[in-house]
Amino acid sequence: METLVLTAVIVLVIAIGMRWIHLLNAQHDARIAAYRYSDPLPGPPGLPDDTGRRAHPTDAEH
């Protein structure tokens, strides 16, 4: 009988912990969704706006 009660208590504690973690994750997700990110920082002076691969043609593209 004691084993059954102990098992039930362990299962109940695990279930309560799972629910608590779920609520904390939902709260964290809501906080992230409400956060307004700032504009991206400007690049260093002297560099072109587009520094990707397409900005500099190679011999293969001709």
Side-chain angles (χ1 to χ4, degrees):
M1 183 66 175
E2 293 175 5
T3 305
L4 183 62
V5 172
L6 181 62
T7 304
V9 168
I10 291 172
V11 169
L12 181 65
V13 169
I14 290 172
I16 290 171
M18 287 174 55
R19 178 69 178 156
W20 188 36
I21 290 172
H22 176 73
L23 292 174
L24 288 174
N25 282 337
Q27 183 183 22
H28 182 67
D29 290 342
R31 188 177 301 134
I32 289 173
Y35 181 76
R36 292 185 177 265
Y37 293 95
S38 64
D39 292 333
L41 295 174
L47 289 179
D49 290 340
D50 185 13
T51 58
R53 289 182 169 203
R54 303 296 290 178
H56 306 288
T58 63
D59 292 334
E61 292 179 356
H62 294 287

